[in-house]
């Protein structure tokens, strides 16, 4: 995400606080959470179409 060569993570909850977070990789197995949003559903179940 920040182009430093280390893989960062994005996590979206679909239960609980419904947080959307960016986890920045600091290296050495260390990550820091940056909260992007909260209270908005980030998982929309797929609906079946009728044939």
């Amino acid at each position: 995400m920040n182009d430093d060569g280390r893989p960062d993570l994005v996590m979206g909850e679909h239960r609980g606080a419904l947080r959307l977070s960016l986890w920045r990789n600091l290296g050495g197995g260390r990550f820091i959470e940056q909260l992007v949003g909260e209270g908005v559903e980030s998982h929309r179940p797929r609906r079946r179409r009728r044939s």
Side-chain angles (χ1 to χ4, degrees):
M1 290 295 200
N2 57 0
D3 205 26
D4 64 1
R6 295 183 298 248
D8 300 315
L9 304 171
V10 176
M11 182 187 77
E13 297 178 336
H14 65 274
R15 292 187 183 171
L18 303 176
R19 296 184 311 178
L20 179 61
S21 301
L22 170 62
W23 289 84
R24 295 189 182 269
N25 188 341
L26 302 176
R30 297 175 299 140
F31 287 82
I32 188 167
E33 181 182 18
Q34 177 181 348
L35 185 63
V36 177
E38 191 171 13
V40 178
E41 179 66 61
S42 62
H43 176 264
R44 298 174 79 180
R46 187 173 168 191
R47 295 184 181 175
R48 290 186 176 186
R49 290 185 175 186
R50 289 187 161 182
S51 310

